Amino acid sequence: MSGTDANELRRRMTGAIDTLKKEFGGLRTGRASANLLDPVRVDAYGQSLPMSQVGTVNAPEPRMITVQVWDKSLVKAVEKAIRDANLGVNPSVDGQLVRVPMPPLTEERRKELIKIAHKYAEQARISVRNIRRDGMDGLKAQEKSGKITEDEHRKQNAGIQTVTDEFIKKIDEMLAAKEKDVLHV
């Protein structure tokens, strides 16, 4: 594979892995973690903002997350965003503080978390496959325009597939580790 193309595909696939790490970080098991709210977006000021841009997120106790909302007018929007995020939590408002108690992990909740983890992993796999397709489409275009030969196209195609397989394997390993984490808390 030509240097820049290979590096660009790797960089983009690494981005998909980084996103998955963040999403998995948000799938905390029985312990409260401020990261749980990382993927939650709040409708504020006519746009969708990350939780960290509307308040201070803390985990003051092992089973409690709090969001100190900076703008009083956004408290309801923050509560709604947390409620609608399908995290299995029930936020309550106390002035400008939104408390998010962490329920103990029931068997049902563990299964739910694993389903969500599978969904995140599948989204990452789709991203990696889309990046692979972009790379392969680029090779087709280069061959058509005469920039590379058919043999070179085949060789670089194999290289793209190898990189793709490597990243899909990483995603599968991350999913297996997350499942173990959820099941053995």
Side-chain angles (χ1 to χ4, degrees), residues 90-179:
N90 191 14
S92 64
V93 175
D94 180 7
Q96 283 183 242
L97 186 70
V98 178
R99 294 182 203 282
V100 186
M102 299 304 300
L105 276 184
T106 61
E107 192 57 37
E108 188 179 313
R109 180 66 185 141
R110 289 176 203 272
K111 286 177 182 168
E112 208 176 299
L113 286 170
I114 287 174
K115 274 186 197 166
I116 294 168
H118 275 268
K119 189 178 85 177
Y120 287 158
E122 186 53 29
Q123 288 167 343
R125 284 188 206 99
I126 289 168
S127 293
V128 167
R129 288 187 203 114
N130 286 341
I131 294 163
R132 173 191 64 190
R133 189 190 60 227
D134 290 349
M136 290 182 169
D137 288 350
L139 289 177
K140 272 185 211 155
Q142 285 180 9
E143 184 188 347
K144 225 177 192 171
S145 68
K147 288 183 181 153
I148 60 173
T149 65
E150 188 179 331
D151 285 347
E152 186 62 22
H153 178 190
R154 244 195 308 277
K155 190 174 121 198
Q156 289 187 29
N157 232 359
I160 290 173
Q161 188 59 52
T162 301
V163 171
T164 302
D165 293 344
E166 174 190 322
F167 277 87
I168 295 288
K169 184 175 181 236
K170 262 186 212 173
I171 291 167
D172 292 342
E173 288 167 356
M174 288 169 65
L175 177 61
K178 191 63 185 180
E179 280 184 343

Side-chain angles (χ1 to χ4, degrees), residues 40-72:
V40 178
R41 314 263 320 162
V42 180
D43 291 328
Y45 314 118
Q47 54 189 342
S48 175
L49 297 174
M51 188 65 66
S52 60
Q53 289 186 14
V54 296
T56 305
V57 181
N58 283 310
E61 303 165 28
R63 295 187 109 28
M64 177 72 69
I65 299 173
T66 59
V67 182
Q68 183 63 51
V69 184
W70 301 321
D71 181 343
K72 195 173 185 169

Side-chain angles (χ1 to χ4, degrees), residues 11 40 73 81 83 87-88 136 147:
R11 188 191 61 72
V40 178
S73 70
R83 209 176 286 284
L87 300 171
M136 290 182 169
K147 288 183 181 153

